[in-house]
Amino acid sequence: MDVRPLTGALGAEIFGVDLAENLEDRTIAAIRSALLDHLLVVFRDQRLTPEQHAAFARRFGPLHTFAYTAARALPGQPEVLRVVKEKEDRKVFGELWHADVTFLETPVLGSILYAIETPATGGDTLFANMYLAYESLSDGMKAMLERLTAVHESEVRAENAGANGTPGGFVTMGTEHPVIRIHPETKRKSLFVNRTYTTRFSGMTVEESRPLLEFLFQHATQPEFLTRLRWGPGTVTFWDNRCTQHRPLNDYHGQRREMHRITIAG
């Protein structure tokens, strides 16, 4: 197994591994080690069935099912989420900077995204290192943020929408997380707020929170903390959702893209 870093900020490509195989425990351990070191690992030219995709993901923990996005799941496989942009679509799924589903009480470990069809040009994904975002703050700002928690929330489709005569019903899911979060495996501190789901600081109004949150959103995604990933059919990415953010670029109108995503529970 050959691990080659992508940039100084985060990310590495891994060569010499066929994810469709039943990999040895030592190979899985090496992949997990690379993920913890580089926050994002990338495999090229893979060919996976949904079952092989899920089998690989399960080697890292139980799978998270998205009851609130069940319409996007593969039939009979609720853990496999289809992420599709058709040629006529103008919006892309998850288009702002975010870490996945931080409105849940226990943040998910990460996601494994498999490219089925990609545009000839465009459609890259940006990833940001939240360890660096924390470490580059001033001591005074770190000390203040250490005392704060933040509200993460999202409006999602209700699991039983339609059961009570209200098809398409939505509910708001939300929770609170420390602004500075300690990674459960590496024990490193990272900045844990994101533009998509973080709405305010606990005990403050949205208006009071907005100036500092806006500074943190901008700070967390500056170029020095980023990797830009170019996709191709058969590309597989595995990112650590506990210490990264990502943003898909919506610059390929008129072209189709399809990916399958499996998320590993925290």
Side-chain angles (χ1 to χ4, degrees), residues 96-139:
L96 300 179
W97 278 107
H98 65 285
D100 291 330
V101 294
T102 59
F103 54 84
L104 299 179
E105 184 175 350
T106 302
V108 297
L109 184 155
S111 291
I112 301 175
L113 190 60
Y114 172 47
I116 308 295
E117 180 180 348
T118 60
T121 56
D124 295 357
T125 301
L126 302 176
F127 291 88
N129 182 332
M130 293 301 101
Y131 292 143
L132 293 180
Y134 166 75
E135 291 164 1
S136 61
L137 293 168
S138 67
D139 290 343

Side-chain angles (χ1 to χ4, degrees), residues 141-214:
M141 181 62 77
K142 290 176 183 175
M144 180 179 68
L145 296 178
E146 291 270 8
R147 302 192 297 268
L148 297 178
T149 59
V151 176
H152 297 240
E153 54 190 356
S154 180
E155 189 179 69
V156 301
R157 189 174 297 277
E159 292 185 46
N160 61 348
N164 57 358
T166 57
F170 287 82
V171 295
T172 298
M173 295 182 65
T175 192
E176 299 182 4
H177 296 295
V179 173
I180 305 303
R181 189 168 182 268
I182 298 175
H183 193 287
E185 293 186 73
T186 67
K187 308 306 179 184
R188 295 176 65 185
K189 293 181 178 180
S190 67
L191 182 64
F192 202 72
V193 296
N194 69 84
R195 185 177 294 279
T196 295
Y197 298 124
T198 309
T199 55
R200 60 184 175 85
F201 296 110
S202 306
M204 301 185 193
T205 65
V206 171
E207 290 75 17
E208 291 167 338
S209 304
R210 186 175 294 120
L212 180 53
L213 280 178
E214 187 61 34

Side-chain angles (χ1 to χ4, degrees), residues 9-100:
L10 76 159
E13 287 190 298
I14 296 180
F15 298 89
V17 177
D18 183 353
L19 302 183
E21 295 181 352
N22 183 20
L23 299 174
E24 296 181 355
D25 289 344
R26 64 180 180 178
T27 302
I28 294 296
I31 293 171
R32 190 177 197 114
S33 178
L35 177 71
L36 294 177
D37 288 343
H38 298 283
L39 289 63
L40 162 74
V41 291
V42 182
F43 307 84
R44 301 289 187 182
D45 302 317
Q46 302 291 317
R47 294 294 179 267
L48 297 175
T49 65
E51 292 78 15
Q52 290 167 333
H53 187 179
F56 173 65
R58 285 193 181 94
R59 301 292 295 276
F60 299 91
L63 304 187
H64 175 78
T65 56
F66 296 85
Y68 35 84
T69 52
R72 293 181 178 269
L74 287 182
Q77 294 180 294
E79 72 277 3
V80 183
L81 193 68
R82 294 179 69 245
V83 182
V84 180
K85 185 187 179 201
E86 301 291 355
K87 291 182 179 181
E88 64 272 17
D89 293 340
R90 302 299 294 179
K91 293 180 69 65
V92 66
F93 184 66
E95 62 186 333
L96 300 179
W97 278 107
H98 65 285
D100 291 330

